[in-house]
Structures are given as structure tokens and as C-alpha cells.
Amino acid sequence: MQLSETAPLFSTVKLGSIELKNRLVMAPMTRSRADADGIQIPLAATYYSQRADAGLIITEATAVTKQGSGYPVIPGIWNDAQVEAWKPVADAIHAKGGLAFLQIFHTGRIAHSTLVGETPVAPSAIAPNGETMTATFAQESFELPRALSTEEIPGIAAAFGVAAKNAIAAGFDGVEIHGANGYLIDQFLRDGSNQRTDAYGEDRTLFLKQVLDSVIGAIGAEKVGVRLSPWTPFNSMTDSDLEATFRKAATALAGRRLAYLHILNGGNDNRPAAESFSLELAEIAGLPLIINGGYDGAAANAAIEKGIAAVAFGIPFLANPDLVKRIEKGAELNAPDFATFYVGGEKGYTDYPELATA
Ligand SMILES: Cc1cc2nc3c(=O)[nH]c(=O)nc-3n(C[C@H](O)[C@H](O)[C@H](O)COP(=O)(O)O)c2cc1C
């Protein structure tokens, strides 16, 4: 379906300190093409700048520490060499008129000791189900994580602040705190993975709040977004009262004047219900809402008409560098090549074709 040029999806919107030229956001996507030291590859500048027509690019999840870098060949942002490697990426996006937030995370128990150099850490000593990748790309069962001591948790929150400062030094317009998809912040939020009896168990949002304090202190609230995924069971996430848990998480964001709340509706097949609850969370938080998960142009436009600020596209942006133009024209989309999501160098990365201009 072709959308009119004046469709709300193509209108500008202000999120914190930035103004998006349209409401199509590129969702964060891990591409696993960095090196073993978490150094982003130069080709990432081409990949991301090809997609700079997006109103905002949110980068792949980037680790705040080695302890939080639980997958092989994902990028980091804790040392100078990593910052240097990200600079050409931010520059290339800006040179094409785009904006970008770096997504920052700590993988917690979603890790293998061969990658993080120690037993993976978590709120509680509860292993996720299934297998994960080791440093040599072998599949092995998840290890039993070590429960973090009360004293060491503020240090991890502080590392998010350092990472945010580094992201700004690398040239990014802000950061997205990755509180979704079963990584450390999500592990703290839910009672399936957080069975602590200290302050971090009594208030499962305490770690999120400390991360927010640290990141806001480092770069200012208007440059900070937060991503949550209430319904995503990925990485063995469970909770006995999901709605109450996420209302509390939204309350933890309230009054902080962040740039946005980003909600992934994955796992909830009922889009109207997911949008309504997400809007409720955004209202509690007092923030503009970015929604994501399975959208096409028409559904995204309808979401904007409902008061959602922007819609993030994952796989459609991965496979279509010119997604904005294609949605505008109602053009067909390239088929994604699943085999090259996490491997393949330039194949499936920078070689998806754009529409012929003729
Ligand atoms: C290859 C791939 C990597 C992903 N990596 C991340 C990530 O690093 N951080 C994150 O928050 N979500 C990640 N996701 C989830 C996407 O951001 C998005 O939520 C998901 O693809 C659903 O949106 P879509 O239906 O528009 O593709 C990833 C998804 C894919 C396909």
C-alpha cells in the first residue's frame, strides 16, 4: 500500500533533544561482525549510513563492560579503541543527515565464561534454559550464573554511565538503555530471574533506577531512551505478574524527562492490546512511545494516528536500506537472508539492493 507523503508516519517528531525527520526508527539489531575485543568493523559505517533515511537509527546492542559482553564478536564501548572504532560510524550517519543512539547493555547471565572471563553474573543463581555460544562459537548449555553481591551492583550501574559518556565521545546523539529481551536489567525486573532478598529484590526496579541515575548524570536525560519488552519470553524470561512488574518499571522512568520509552511487543500477538498497554506505560512514564514488532507501513501509520510517537522496524530495515522510500512508494521489500543475520561480512550486511531510481 502506498502512503501519502503527508501521512503522519512521515512527519517530524521531537524526542528529547533531537528532532526526527520522520517517525520510522531503525530498531537495534546485533550483527556480530565486530572482533573478539569488541571493536566495531569499519564496514559498519557503510551499513548504518545506508539506512540514514530513518528518523533515528538505534544501533546494535553494545556491551558496557567485558563482564557484560556475553556473545562472541559483538561491539563494546568501555575502552578508547572501541570508542575510536565507533566514531566513523556516527560520522557517516550524520554525513547522510541521520541521527543515531547507541544501544548499551550488559548481558548478565546470557553469557559464557569463555567470553566474559568469569562465571556469568545475574541477580540470582538461576540458569536460563538452553544453549549459548562460547568464545570458539561452539554451542554449550548455559552455565549456572553467580548471584551478584549487593555491594558490586552499583559498580555495574556506574559502568552504564561511563559507556554513555563514551557513546557521546564517539559522536552518537544519545543512548538507548537496553532493558529488554532478557539481559541484565530485564533479569532484575522479573521475579523469574530475580529472587533476591536484599534491596534489589524488594524493589526489582532498583537496578534500573541506578542505571538511569548513572546515565542521566553522565550525559543528560534528554539524550537517553529506554527499551523494555514486557511480553518477550526470549532468554527464559518469566514473571508472575507481568503487568504489575512493567507498571512499576514505567514508574521508575517517570519524572526523569528522558527522550523516549521504546517497547517491543514481541510475544503479544494481539497488537491493539499491546499498543494500549504500551501507551499506558508511556503515560505512566510521561514519555513519548516508540513501538516495535512486526509493523508494516500501514500498521505503523495507524499507530502514529493513535498517539504513538514513532515505530521501529527491525528486519525490514536490515533487508532494505531504503525502507523509508519503499514504504512511501508502497514498493516491495527485499527478502531478508536469515543465514547472514549474524555472520557473513558484507554479505547480507551492505549488499541489499536499493530500488532502481529510473
Ligand atoms: C538480527 C537481529 C538482531 C537483533 N538484535 C537486537 C539487539 O541488539 N537489541 C535489541 O534490543 N533487539 C534486537 N533485536 C530485536 C529487534 O530490535 C526487533 O525488536 C525485532 O526484529 C522485531 O521487530 P521487526 O518485526 O520490525 O523485525 C534483533 C533482531 C534481529 C532480527
Side-chain angles (χ1 to χ4, degrees), residues 205-221:
T205 69
L206 179 58
F207 179 58
L208 171 63
K209 287 190 277 203
Q210 291 183 339
V211 168
L212 284 164
D213 288 342
S214 160
V215 171
I216 292 168
I219 66 169

Side-chain angles (χ1 to χ4, degrees), residues 30-95:
T30 294
R31 303 306 310 272
S32 303
R33 283 161 166 84
D35 74 9
D37 294 321
I39 310 282
Q40 184 57 287
I41 44 165
L43 200 58
T46 306
Y47 165 69
Y48 281 112
S49 65
Q50 285 173 341
R51 290 155 178 79
D53 284 350
L56 173 67
I57 289 173
I58 304 167
T59 72
E60 65 209 276
T62 301
V64 299
T65 55
K66 181 171 166 72
Q67 182 195 64
S69 188
Y71 293 112
V73 294
I74 60 165
I77 189 76
W78 68 86
N79 66 37
D80 290 346
Q82 293 164 345
V83 172
E84 288 306 312
W86 274 116
K87 278 183 181 169
V89 179
D91 283 350
I93 294 167
H94 289 148

Side-chain angles (χ1 to χ4, degrees), residues 25-33 47-48 58-62 71 74 103 105 176-181 183 227-229 232 234 262-266 271 291-296 311-318 323 338 340-342:
V25 170
M26 179 175 169
M29 283 177 288
T30 294
R31 303 306 310 272
S32 303
R33 283 161 166 84
Y47 165 69
Y48 281 112
I58 304 167
T59 72
E60 65 209 276
T62 301
Y71 293 112
I74 60 165
Q103 192 188 49
F105 81 152
E176 178 172 281
I177 296 171
H178 192 354
N181 296 351
Y183 301 107
R227 189 174 218 211
L228 299 173
S229 57
T232 308
F234 183 56
H262 183 182
I263 296 191
L264 166 49
N265 68 13
R271 178 174 290 146
I291 197 99
N292 164 252
Y295 282 82
D296 61 14
V311 177
F313 293 82
I315 294 171
F317 251 123
L318 184 156
L323 181 68
F338 295 94
T340 53
F341 275 13
Y342 304 107

Side-chain angles (χ1 to χ4, degrees), residues 99-114:
L99 294 167
F101 273 29
L102 187 81
Q103 192 188 49
I104 53 174
F105 81 152
H106 184 301
T107 48
R109 67 183 189 170
I110 305 304
H112 193 269
S113 53
T114 55

